Amino acid sequence: MMQDTLLAAQEFRVHVKGTPKPGGSKRAFLVRQKGTGRMVPVITDANPNAKEWKQELKYTIRQEYHGKPMEGPLKLVVEFVMPRLKSHLTSAGEVKPSAPYYHIVKPDGLKLRRLIEDAMTSIVYHDDAQICQGWEEKHYGETPGVTITVSRLTPGGDEA
């Protein structure tokens, strides 16, 4: 597997508490810049509910990540812990044996991951285009949040 030949030379790991929200589709439009009159692009996220979650992500990442943004190819691993539904619990508040482990309903993992990638841009790495490998998992758990691991990849297994 390719993972065997690409070793992590640098790694950053952070956990952010809170209910993960998806990044919506992007919308771009032009606005006239005050003073210059030039038209400049403005990009917004179609999911207004994601703004607070993205701010929490950025705040926590800035508190935990020290140094310059990572260079070169990167691997991103994201574990989302989603809040349990009331129907998963007994009247005593215990998780039912029949309750699912994996979160197989909306929001989908890629949209959740998109917001993570955007939140780390210019902090952990320069551009999310640097992500060459990655995966996400979403499952239910007691404490909602996300654990993010970013690793720098080195071609051919060479040490950096």
Side-chain angles (χ1 to χ4, degrees):
M1 186 171 172
M2 184 163 270
Q3 185 174 348
D4 296 333
T5 60
L6 296 171
L7 301 177
Q10 183 180 358
E11 184 174 281
F12 169 66
R13 185 179 180 109
V14 65
H15 180 77
V16 183
K17 292 180 182 177
T19 301
K21 302 276 191 268
S25 300
K26 304 294 182 220
R27 293 184 195 165
F29 53 94
L30 295 173
V31 295
R32 192 164 307 278
Q33 190 176 40
K34 290 182 181 179
T36 67
R38 291 185 357 215
M39 297 300 283
V40 294
V42 174
I43 300 172
T44 63
D45 199 306
N47 181 2
N49 299 324
K51 189 174 184 177
E52 190 175 310
W53 173 238
K54 187 173 182 179
Q55 288 175 341
E56 181 63 30
L57 288 165
K58 284 183 153 195
Y59 175 80
T60 304
I61 291 164
R62 281 190 179 113
Q63 296 297 311
E64 299 294 324
Y65 186 78
H66 307 288
K68 296 178 182 177
M70 291 182 186
E71 301 283 341
L74 302 172
K75 175 181 175 181
L76 174 66
V77 176
V78 187
E79 178 190 4
F80 296 101
V81 178
M82 306 303 283
R84 285 250 174 227
L85 303 176
K86 288 184 181 183
S87 62
H88 294 180
L89 305 175
T90 65
S91 57
E94 300 291 323
V95 177
K96 293 177 182 177
S98 61
Y101 175 76
Y102 289 107
H103 182 272
I104 60 169
V105 296
K106 290 184 178 189
D108 70 69
L110 289 176
K111 286 186 180 161
L112 289 168
R113 180 174 151 178
R114 180 185 301 160
L115 193 75
I116 300 296
E117 290 177 1
D118 290 347
M120 291 192 299
T121 298
S122 299
I123 303 170
V124 178
Y125 44 72
H126 298 285
D127 191 300
D128 57 7
Q130 291 174 251
I131 299 168
C132 299
Q133 289 184 6
W135 62 270
E136 66 280 335
E137 175 180 320
K138 58 181 186 139
H139 60 85
Y140 292 106
E142 191 173 316
T143 306
V146 62
T147 300
I148 306 162
T149 305
V150 181
S151 305
R152 187 166 161 235
L153 298 172
T154 307
D158 298 333
E159 297 289 325

